[in-house]
Amino acid sequence: MLNDDIRDYANRSVLCWLATTSGDGPSVSPKEIFACFGEDRIIIANIASPHSVKNIRDEPRVCVSFVDVFSQKGWQLYGDAVLLRAGDDGFEDRKAILQGMAGDAFRVATLWDVTVTKAKEIIAPSYRFKPDVKEADMRESAMGTYGVKAVD
């Protein structure tokens, strides 16, 4: 399910967005510590997200999205999330990965393990309306827009 293209975009993305639902409707919140895990899982550190914890407890279906802002491409990953805590099967292996990414900035006390069942590519409208546009062109344009200089 998590092919090389999905993994590449996940690794290039600074944040992912976790979409959950509640009785009040949909909720989307940024998560900065996440990783692909195994063939079909995304793991996400729960740093400070009590609303996401409650929403996922009540409705485990989620969508995780991430986009490379320069290429303006990314992925939406749909599946079911489970909150893992110390003592839960598989928690320590997953925590070690996320804690390694977080360093001393955050303590990973709990995390979500999302089993991905569906993946959908995200592409900016420019790719559809300008069929000859290349990813390198989009990257160069976005870097100019954001004032980012390429490092040699």
Side-chain angles (χ1 to χ4, degrees), residues 7-99:
R7 291 173 185 281
D8 180 49
Y9 280 98
N11 290 335
R12 286 193 270 158
S13 299
V14 176
L15 297 172
C16 74
W17 298 88
L18 178 64
T20 63
T21 58
S22 72
D24 294 331
S27 176
V28 178
S29 61
K31 309 298 182 205
E32 58 183 301
I33 309 296
F34 68 101
C36 295
F37 185 81
E39 295 299 315
D40 66 347
R41 295 179 186 276
I42 295 288
I43 53 175
I44 304 169
N46 175 22
I47 305 301
S49 300
H51 294 293
S52 296
V53 170
K54 179 189 177 312
N55 290 353
I56 290 170
R57 183 183 63 233
D58 295 343
E59 173 53 71
R61 290 180 298 171
V62 300
C63 178
V64 178
S65 300
F66 44 84
V67 173
D68 174 339
V69 296
F70 297 114
S71 70
Q72 299 178 41
K73 289 184 176 181
W75 289 89
Q76 291 177 325
L77 305 176
Y78 299 87
D80 292 325
V82 174
L83 184 71
L84 296 181
R85 296 177 165 86
D88 290 341
D89 190 37
F91 174 76
E92 292 301 326
D93 292 341
R94 290 161 176 80
K95 177 187 173 186
I97 293 167
L98 297 174
Q99 194 64 66

XYZ file of all heavy atoms in Angstrom, residues 7-99:
725
model
N 6.157 7.089 0.168
C 7.205 7.236 1.184
C 8.076 8.466 0.909
O 8.444 9.197 1.821
C 8.066 5.985 1.249
C 7.343 4.794 1.804
C 8.202 3.516 1.688
N 7.447 2.373 2.119
C 7.234 2.050 3.383
N 7.741 2.791 4.349
N 6.520 0.992 3.694
N 8.402 8.687 -0.363
C 9.220 9.835 -0.746
C 8.530 11.145 -0.361
O 9.141 12.018 0.255
C 9.503 9.793 -2.247
C 10.346 10.969 -2.702
O 11.384 11.256 -2.075
O 9.950 11.619 -3.695
N 7.249 11.278 -0.702
C 6.526 12.504 -0.362
C 6.374 12.658 1.148
O 6.473 13.771 1.677
C 5.175 12.575 -1.070
C 5.323 13.031 -2.498
C 5.358 12.114 -3.529
C 5.466 14.381 -2.806
C 5.524 12.524 -4.848
C 5.629 14.797 -4.112
C 5.659 13.869 -5.131
O 5.824 14.289 -6.422
N 6.143 11.585 1.856
C 6.048 11.658 3.322
C 7.361 12.158 3.911
O 7.370 13.014 4.800
C 5.677 10.295 3.904
N 8.472 11.652 3.397
C 9.782 12.053 3.912
C 10.124 13.505 3.594
O 10.888 14.137 4.323
C 10.871 11.133 3.372
C 10.786 9.745 3.952
O 10.262 9.549 5.050
N 11.274 8.761 3.224
N 9.557 14.053 2.512
C 9.818 15.441 2.135
C 8.873 16.432 2.804
O 9.079 17.638 2.705
C 9.679 15.612 0.618
C 10.822 15.021 -0.158
C 10.786 15.495 -1.589
N 9.986 14.583 -2.405
C 9.435 14.947 -3.559
N 9.553 16.162 -4.007
N 8.750 14.065 -4.255
N 7.857 15.955 3.454
C 6.833 16.832 4.029
C 7.168 17.188 5.471
O 7.561 16.333 6.258
C 5.464 16.152 3.966
O 5.123 15.899 2.618
N 6.989 18.451 5.791
C 7.297 18.945 7.135
C 6.201 18.567 8.123
O 6.475 18.251 9.269
C 7.483 20.480 7.100
C 7.707 21.036 8.488
C 8.625 20.844 6.179
N 4.954 18.610 7.671
C 3.799 18.287 8.499
C 2.917 17.286 7.777
O 2.921 17.217 6.549
C 2.924 19.525 8.752
C 3.477 20.697 9.515
C 2.496 21.862 9.455
C 3.748 20.320 10.957
N 2.146 16.569 8.558
C 1.010 15.860 7.977
C -0.231 16.445 8.644
O -0.143 17.124 9.661
C 1.089 14.345 8.165
S 0.743 13.711 9.811
N -1.363 16.215 8.039
C -2.631 16.718 8.551
C -3.499 15.517 8.857
O -3.735 14.682 7.976
C -3.288 17.643 7.526
C -2.428 18.830 7.262
C -1.435 18.936 6.332
C -2.429 20.058 7.978
N -0.837 20.162 6.419
C -1.432 20.872 7.418
C -3.197 20.553 9.032
C -1.173 22.158 7.884
C -2.928 21.828 9.482
C -1.930 22.624 8.916
N -3.952 15.412 10.091
C -4.788 14.296 10.521
C -6.235 14.773 10.571
O -6.575 15.675 11.341
C -4.346 13.801 11.896
C -5.166 12.662 12.502
C -5.060 11.398 11.650
C -4.706 12.392 13.928
N -7.069 14.174 9.727
C -8.492 14.511 9.693
C -9.267 13.457 10.467
O -9.121 12.253 10.217
C -8.987 14.583 8.253
N -10.063 13.921 11.417
C -10.917 13.052 12.223
C -12.340 13.607 12.169
O -12.566 14.684 11.630
C -10.435 13.020 13.691
O -10.536 14.336 14.252
C -9.001 12.513 13.793
N -13.271 12.854 12.748
C -14.649 13.350 12.812
C -15.182 13.202 14.229
O -14.729 12.364 15.003
C -15.584 12.592 11.845
O -15.543 11.202 12.159
C -15.167 12.788 10.409
N -16.173 14.057 14.505
C -16.862 13.999 15.792
C -18.305 14.389 15.545
O -18.686 14.706 14.418
C -16.214 14.966 16.789
O -16.515 16.295 16.443
N -19.091 14.411 16.604
C -20.475 14.848 16.492
C -20.594 16.287 16.006
O -21.603 16.681 15.438
N -19.538 17.068 16.216
C -19.526 18.459 15.765
C -19.108 18.591 14.303
O -19.140 19.684 13.758
C -18.566 19.287 16.625
C -19.031 19.395 18.060
O -20.256 19.346 18.298
O -18.165 19.516 18.953
N -18.660 17.496 13.695
C -18.233 17.531 12.300
C -16.764 17.189 12.159
O -16.127 16.701 13.090
N -16.198 17.462 10.981
C -14.797 17.119 10.738
C -13.842 18.051 11.472
O -14.178 19.201 11.775
C -14.640 17.270 9.225
C -15.757 18.134 8.793
C -16.865 17.983 9.793
N -12.654 17.524 11.738
C -11.589 18.292 12.372
C -10.272 17.894 11.705
O -10.019 16.717 11.472
C -11.532 17.966 13.863
O -10.448 18.630 14.470
N -9.458 18.883 11.399
C -8.151 18.630 10.790
C -7.105 19.328 11.640
O -7.245 20.506 11.960
C -8.093 19.159 9.336
C -6.722 18.932 8.739
C -9.175 18.518 8.490
N -6.056 18.579 12.022
C -5.015 19.197 12.832
C -3.638 18.772 12.336
O -3.446 17.644 11.885
C -5.191 18.848 14.313
O -5.097 17.468 14.518
N -2.674 19.700 12.425
C -1.320 19.400 11.958
C -0.585 18.510 12.951
O -0.750 18.637 14.166
C -0.667 20.780 11.875
C -1.390 21.591 12.897
C -2.798 21.073 12.918
N 0.237 17.637 12.413
C 1.095 16.766 13.218
C 2.494 16.843 12.625
O 2.681 16.664 11.422
C 0.608 15.307 13.186
C -0.862 15.128 13.503
C -1.229 15.570 14.882
C -2.709 15.321 15.149
N -3.250 16.183 16.155
N 3.481 17.108 13.462
C 4.813 17.302 12.910
C 5.751 16.111 13.043
O 6.817 16.115 12.426
C 5.460 18.567 13.453
C 5.606 18.660 14.937
C 6.206 20.004 15.360
O 7.325 20.319 14.921
O 5.551 20.712 16.117
N 5.378 15.102 13.784
C 6.230 13.923 13.919
C 5.439 12.718 13.417
O 4.504 12.257 14.083
C 6.669 13.698 15.387
C 7.274 14.967 16.005
C 7.631 12.521 15.476
C 8.552 15.455 15.378
N 5.812 12.202 12.242
C 5.109 11.070 11.638
C 6.063 10.311 10.724
O 7.076 10.860 10.283
C 3.877 11.544 10.862
C 4.190 12.344 9.626
C 4.134 11.754 8.375
C 4.548 13.676 9.702
C 4.433 12.481 7.231
C 4.837 14.409 8.573
C 4.784 13.811 7.323
N 5.732 9.065 10.456
C 6.590 8.242 9.604
C 5.791 7.085 9.009
O 4.823 6.611 9.605
C 7.760 7.684 10.423
N 6.251 6.637 7.860
C 5.728 5.392 7.294
C 6.294 4.251 8.130
O 7.439 4.313 8.592
C 6.164 5.242 5.839
S 5.473 6.518 4.746
N 5.490 3.222 8.319
C 5.906 2.092 9.146
C 5.405 0.816 8.487
O 4.190 0.665 8.293
C 5.331 2.234 10.561
C 5.799 1.179 11.524
C 7.031 1.277 12.136
C 4.998 0.087 11.805
C 7.467 0.307 13.027
C 5.419 -0.890 12.696
C 6.661 -0.779 13.308
N 6.311 -0.072 8.130
C 5.901 -1.306 7.478
C 5.320 -1.044 6.102
O 5.545 0.007 5.493
N 4.546 -1.975 5.626
C 3.990 -1.898 4.276
C 2.718 -1.065 4.187
O 2.380 -0.597 3.104
C 3.700 -3.312 3.761
C 4.941 -4.163 3.587
C 5.912 -3.575 2.579
O 5.467 -3.139 1.498
O 7.119 -3.522 2.883
N 2.008 -0.899 5.310
C 0.681 -0.281 5.213
C 0.307 0.584 6.404
O -0.860 0.760 6.713
C -0.371 -1.368 5.031
C -0.502 -2.284 6.242
O 0.379 -2.238 7.135
O -1.479 -3.041 6.303
N 1.301 1.175 7.058
C 0.988 1.952 8.251
C 1.690 3.305 8.254
O 2.801 3.446 7.769
C 1.389 1.200 9.514
C 0.591 -0.068 9.698
C 1.043 -0.807 10.950
N 0.382 -2.081 11.037
C -0.821 -2.277 11.542
N -1.518 -1.272 12.017
N -1.338 -3.483 11.587
N 0.996 4.270 8.850
C 1.577 5.571 9.168
C 1.495 5.680 10.689
O 0.443 5.399 11.279
C 0.762 6.723 8.531
C 0.830 6.670 7.015
C 1.217 8.081 9.055
C 2.158 7.065 6.422
N 2.597 6.056 11.307
C 2.584 6.280 12.750
C 2.755 7.779 12.994
O 3.514 8.448 12.293
C 3.645 5.441 13.487
C 5.037 5.644 12.890
C 3.248 3.966 13.468
C 6.166 4.926 13.639
N 2.017 8.282 13.976
C 1.983 9.717 14.243
C 2.100 9.939 15.747
O 1.342 9.353 16.523
C 0.656 10.337 13.751
C 0.430 10.038 12.267
C 0.621 11.836 14.041
C -0.978 10.381 11.785
N 3.046 10.785 16.144
C 3.207 11.107 17.563
C 2.045 11.980 18.029
O 1.652 12.919 17.352
C 4.528 11.839 17.786
N 1.502 11.639 19.183
C 0.499 12.494 19.827
C 1.248 13.405 20.786
O 1.606 13.005 21.881
C -0.535 11.647 20.575
C -1.504 12.517 21.350
O -1.677 13.694 21.043
N -2.129 11.954 22.365
N 1.462 14.629 20.354
C 2.204 15.579 21.187
C 1.259 16.334 22.129
O 1.495 16.402 23.323
C 2.997 16.581 20.305
C 3.926 15.838 19.326
C 3.766 17.572 21.160
C 4.952 14.937 19.963
N 0.192 16.879 21.579
C -0.756 17.651 22.393
C -2.084 17.729 21.652
O -2.485 18.798 21.189
C -0.208 19.042 22.673
N -2.775 16.602 21.532
C -3.991 16.561 20.707
C -5.151 15.839 21.392
O -5.601 14.785 20.939
C -3.670 15.884 19.377
O -2.678 16.566 18.681
N -5.677 16.398 22.474
C -6.773 15.719 23.171
C -8.033 15.567 22.314
O -8.758 14.585 22.460
C -7.027 16.601 24.400
C -6.464 17.934 24.047
C -5.306 17.657 23.122
N -8.290 16.509 21.404
C -9.477 16.392 20.546
C -9.323 15.238 19.557
O -10.276 14.497 19.314
C -9.755 17.697 19.801
C -10.131 18.818 20.709
N -11.299 18.828 21.431
C -9.468 19.951 21.037
C -11.349 19.924 22.161
N -10.250 20.620 21.956
N -8.120 15.077 19.010
C -7.886 13.950 18.103
C -8.024 12.623 18.851
O -8.586 11.664 18.316
C -6.505 14.051 17.454
O -6.409 15.189 16.628
N -7.536 12.561 20.075
C -7.655 11.330 20.877
C -9.129 10.975 21.051
O -9.533 9.832 20.813
C -6.971 11.494 22.255
C -7.316 10.322 23.173
C -5.467 11.613 22.084
N -9.926 11.948 21.450
C -11.357 11.694 21.663
C -12.041 11.303 20.355
O -12.801 10.337 20.312
C -12.039 12.924 22.259
C -13.537 12.723 22.484
C -14.228 14.018 22.860
C -15.711 13.858 23.013
N -16.379 13.152 21.939
N -11.776 12.059 19.303
C -12.426 11.766 18.026
C -12.096 10.367 17.522
O -12.987 9.643 17.057
C -12.033 12.805 16.972
C -12.633 14.165 17.233
O -13.457 14.342 18.129
N -12.213 15.146 16.455
N -10.838 9.969 17.617
C -10.431 8.651 17.119
C -10.983 7.544 18.016
O -11.335 6.470 17.532
C -8.902 8.577 16.964
C -8.491 9.474 15.787
C -8.424 7.147 16.765
C -7.007 9.689 15.644
N -11.085 7.798 19.308
C -11.698 6.807 20.200
C -13.144 6.542 19.773
O -13.599 5.406 19.737
C -11.648 7.291 21.651
C -12.215 6.255 22.627
C -12.222 6.766 24.055
N -13.101 7.924 24.160
C -12.751 9.109 24.674
N -11.537 9.310 25.131
N -13.618 10.105 24.721
N -13.847 7.608 19.407
C -15.250 7.482 19.018
C -15.433 7.030 17.573
O -16.413 6.361 17.247
C -15.973 8.816 19.218
C -16.041 9.231 20.686
O -15.831 8.374 21.573
O -16.289 10.428 20.933
N -14.522 7.425 16.676
C -14.617 7.091 15.253
C -13.198 6.922 14.702
O -12.510 7.911 14.441
C -15.347 8.204 14.489
C -15.353 8.036 12.984
C -15.859 6.682 12.521
O -17.066 6.431 12.647
O -15.040 5.866 12.041
N -12.743 5.667 14.553
C -11.348 5.428 14.169
C -10.997 5.718 12.709
O -9.812 5.765 12.374
C -11.145 3.949 14.487
C -12.504 3.353 14.422
C -13.449 4.436 14.874
N -11.994 5.934 11.850
C -11.666 6.226 10.444
C -11.061 7.622 10.334
O -11.632 8.592 10.830
C -12.901 6.127 9.564
C -13.391 4.693 9.413
C -14.602 4.602 8.549
N -15.676 5.375 9.199
C -16.831 5.666 8.650
N -17.090 5.310 7.420
N -17.740 6.354 9.321
N -9.906 7.703 9.671
C -9.175 8.963 9.540
C -8.648 9.131 8.123
O -8.645 8.183 7.327
C -7.980 9.042 10.528
C -8.456 8.945 11.976
C -6.942 7.982 10.229
N -8.174 10.329 7.849
C -7.430 10.619 6.632
C -6.167 11.366 7.056
O -6.235 12.319 7.839
C -8.251 11.472 5.672
S -7.359 11.920 4.168
N -5.026 10.920 6.558
C -3.744 11.576 6.803
C -3.275 12.134 5.464
O -3.192 11.397 4.487
C -2.696 10.585 7.356
C -1.353 11.281 7.564
C -3.182 9.933 8.639
N -2.992 13.432 5.433
C -2.547 14.074 4.195
C -1.203 14.741 4.407
O -0.915 15.253 5.489
C -3.546 15.143 3.750
O -4.799 14.589 3.510
N -0.390 14.739 3.365
C 0.866 15.484 3.379
C 1.182 15.916 1.957
O 0.813 15.250 0.991
C 2.021 14.677 3.983
C 2.090 13.255 3.528
C 2.717 12.913 2.339
C 1.523 12.251 4.276
C 2.773 11.599 1.915
C 1.573 10.923 3.865
C 2.207 10.603 2.681
N 1.827 17.086 1.853
C 2.136 17.687 0.560
C 3.543 18.269 0.600
O 3.911 18.924 1.579
C 1.121 18.805 0.215
C 1.521 19.551 -1.048
C -0.281 18.244 0.080
N 4.295 18.035 -0.447
C 5.568 18.735 -0.653
C 5.185 20.098 -1.225
O 4.695 20.178 -2.354
C 6.443 17.947 -1.626
C 7.730 18.670 -2.003
O 7.804 19.912 -1.862
O 8.647 18.000 -2.480
N 5.386 21.166 -0.456
C 4.908 22.485 -0.876
C 5.607 22.996 -2.125
O 5.063 23.843 -2.827
C 5.028 23.543 0.258
C 4.132 23.185 1.418
C 6.463 23.736 0.686
N 6.786 22.486 -2.425
C 7.504 22.974 -3.599
C 7.058 22.277 -4.882
O 6.877 22.916 -5.910
C 9.008 22.861 -3.397
C 9.483 23.711 -2.257
C 10.002 23.136 -1.119
C 9.378 25.090 -2.305
C 10.418 23.923 -0.056
C 9.783 25.886 -1.250
C 10.309 25.298 -0.124
N 6.874 20.969 -4.825
C 6.384 20.275 -6.027
C 4.867 20.393 -6.143
O 4.302 20.174 -7.204
C 6.774 18.801 -5.999
O 6.053 18.108 -5.002
N 4.220 20.719 -5.036
C 2.767 20.846 -4.959
C 2.078 19.522 -5.306
O 1.065 19.480 -5.991
C 2.279 22.007 -5.822
C 2.866 23.326 -5.338
C 2.462 24.502 -6.179
O 1.319 24.606 -6.583
N 3.400 25.406 -6.424
N 2.659 18.452 -4.780
C 2.099 17.110 -4.893
C 2.199 16.430 -3.533
O 3.053 16.773 -2.718
C 2.876 16.261 -5.903
C 2.684 16.648 -7.338
C 3.436 15.675 -8.236
C 3.212 15.944 -9.698
N 3.939 14.968 -10.535
N 1.352 15.467 -3.326
C 1.381 14.712 -2.077
C 0.368 13.598 -2.112
O -0.039 13.149 -3.188
N -0.072 13.179 -0.925
C -0.973 12.024 -0.814
C -1.986 12.206 0.296
O -1.686 12.823 1.328
C -0.168 10.756 -0.543
C 0.606 10.336 -1.741
C 1.873 10.721 -2.084
C 0.145 9.476 -2.779
N 2.212 10.152 -3.272
C 1.184 9.388 -3.726
C -1.047 8.791 -3.001
C 1.066 8.617 -4.876
C -1.158 8.019 -4.150
C -0.108 7.939 -5.068
N -3.157 11.637 0.089
C -4.155 11.433 1.135
C -4.172 9.942 1.406
O -4.283 9.137 0.469
C -5.548 11.843 0.667
C -5.742 13.305 0.465
C -7.139 13.608 -0.059
O -7.710 12.854 -0.832
N -7.685 14.726 0.380
N -4.060 9.572 2.662
C -4.079 8.164 3.057
C -5.262 7.948 3.996
O -5.384 8.627 5.019
C -2.772 7.794 3.752
C -1.500 8.085 2.952
C -0.271 7.761 3.774
C -1.494 7.345 1.629
N -6.123 7.025 3.641
C -7.329 6.733 4.412
C -7.146 5.422 5.153
O -6.538 4.478 4.630
C -8.535 6.610 3.488
C -8.830 7.864 2.712
C -8.209 8.120 1.496
C -9.731 8.800 3.202
C -8.482 9.278 0.778
C -10.004 9.958 2.494
C -9.373 10.184 1.283
O -9.638 11.332 0.575
N -7.697 5.344 6.359
C -7.625 4.101 7.112
C -8.189 4.247 8.504
O -8.895 5.210 8.812
N -7.843 3.284 9.336
C -8.304 3.258 10.719
C -7.128 3.490 11.655
O -6.055 2.906 11.470
C -8.955 1.911 11.041
C -10.259 1.717 10.297
O -10.996 2.703 10.100
O -10.554 0.572 9.903
N -7.351 4.336 12.660
C -6.307 4.688 13.625
C -6.582 4.054 14.976
O -7.734 3.917 15.396
C -6.234 6.206 13.777
N -5.504 3.700 15.652
C -5.556 3.172 17.010
C -4.543 3.961 17.830
O -3.411 4.176 17.379
C -5.195 1.668 17.033
C -5.097 1.148 18.451
C -6.169 0.853 16.215
N -4.942 4.403 19.018
C -4.018 5.074 19.921
C -3.240 4.014 20.695
O -3.839 3.123 21.316
C -4.775 5.983 20.898
C -3.886 6.808 21.825
C -3.158 7.907 21.054
C -4.705 7.405 22.959
N -1.913 4.084 20.637
C -1.064 3.152 21.376
C -0.388 3.879 22.525
O 0.036 5.030 22.388
C 0.005 2.554 20.461
C -0.465 1.692 19.297
C 0.735 1.171 18.509
C -1.336 0.545 19.770
N -0.287 3.146 23.661
C 0.348 3.658 24.876
C 1.406 2.665 25.337
O 1.438 1.529 24.876
C -0.693 3.786 25.991
C -1.778 4.779 25.739
C -2.791 4.741 26.905
N -3.662 5.887 26.906
C -4.795 5.958 26.211
N -5.198 4.941 25.477
N -5.525 7.051 26.269
N 2.216 3.101 26.285
C 3.205 2.204 26.884
C 2.504 0.932 27.352
O 1.426 0.999 27.941
C 3.908 2.894 28.055
N 3.089 -0.205 27.043
C 2.508 -1.496 27.408
C 1.708 -2.131 26.288
O 1.482 -3.336 26.301
N 1.256 -1.336 25.309
C 0.529 -1.902 24.167
C 1.500 -2.596 23.220
O 2.650 -2.161 23.053
C -0.220 -0.809 23.392
C -1.394 -0.232 24.164
O -1.867 -0.890 25.117
O -1.834 0.882 23.805
N 1.033 -3.668 22.610
C 1.836 -4.426 21.664
C 2.325 -3.531 20.519
O 1.521 -2.861 19.881
C 1.010 -5.591 21.098
C 1.849 -6.557 20.294
O 3.015 -6.795 20.675
O 1.340 -7.063 19.270
N 3.634 -3.502 20.306
C 4.221 -2.729 19.220
C 4.523 -1.276 19.552
O 5.126 -0.569 18.741
N 4.121 -0.821 20.724
C 4.316 0.599 21.067
C 5.786 0.998 21.100
O 6.167 2.019 20.518
C 3.667 0.922 22.416
C 3.955 2.326 22.887
C 3.296 3.404 22.311
C 4.898 2.575 23.875
C 3.566 4.715 22.728
C 5.170 3.867 24.293
C 4.504 4.938 23.722
N 6.617 0.227 21.774
C 8.013 0.628 21.974
C 8.767 0.771 20.656
O 9.545 1.712 20.485
C 8.734 -0.342 22.924
C 8.228 -0.284 24.355
C 8.347 1.105 25.005
O 9.313 1.841 24.713
O 7.466 1.446 25.816
N 8.560 -0.150 19.697
C 9.227 -0.057 18.389
C 8.813 1.215 17.659
O 9.644 1.921 17.082
C 8.879 -1.258 17.507
C 9.459 -2.555 18.035
O 10.400 -2.501 18.852
O 8.967 -3.621 17.612
N 7.538 1.491 17.672
C 7.021 2.673 16.984
C 7.465 3.958 17.690
O 7.865 4.927 17.052
C 5.499 2.601 16.884
C 5.021 1.528 15.908
C 3.573 1.160 16.173
N 3.025 0.214 15.227
C 3.218 -1.107 15.265
N 3.992 -1.644 16.209
N 2.667 -1.883 14.365
N 7.412 3.944 19.012
C 7.830 5.112 19.791
C 9.295 5.446 19.518
O 9.643 6.627 19.377
C 7.633 4.870 21.286
C 8.134 6.029 22.127
C 8.090 5.726 23.596
C 8.755 6.852 24.375
N 8.860 6.559 25.792
N 10.147 4.435 19.424
C 11.581 4.667 19.196
C 11.812 5.440 17.892
O 12.640 6.360 17.841
C 12.339 3.345 19.179
N 11.062 5.108 16.859
C 11.190 5.812 15.578
C 10.776 7.266 15.731
O 11.499 8.183 15.332
C 10.337 5.117 14.498
C 10.901 3.732 14.186
C 10.255 5.977 13.231
C 9.964 2.853 13.386
N 9.603 7.485 16.312
C 9.081 8.844 16.441
C 9.904 9.679 17.425
O 10.158 10.862 17.177
C 7.606 8.804 16.845
C 6.673 8.141 15.830
C 5.267 8.030 16.399
C 6.679 8.885 14.503
N 10.326 9.072 18.528
C 11.130 9.814 19.495
C 12.466 10.195 18.886
O 12.990 11.286 19.139
C 11.338 9.002 20.778
C 11.869 9.825 21.941
C 10.888 10.900 22.390
O 9.821 10.602 22.886
N 11.264 12.163 22.221
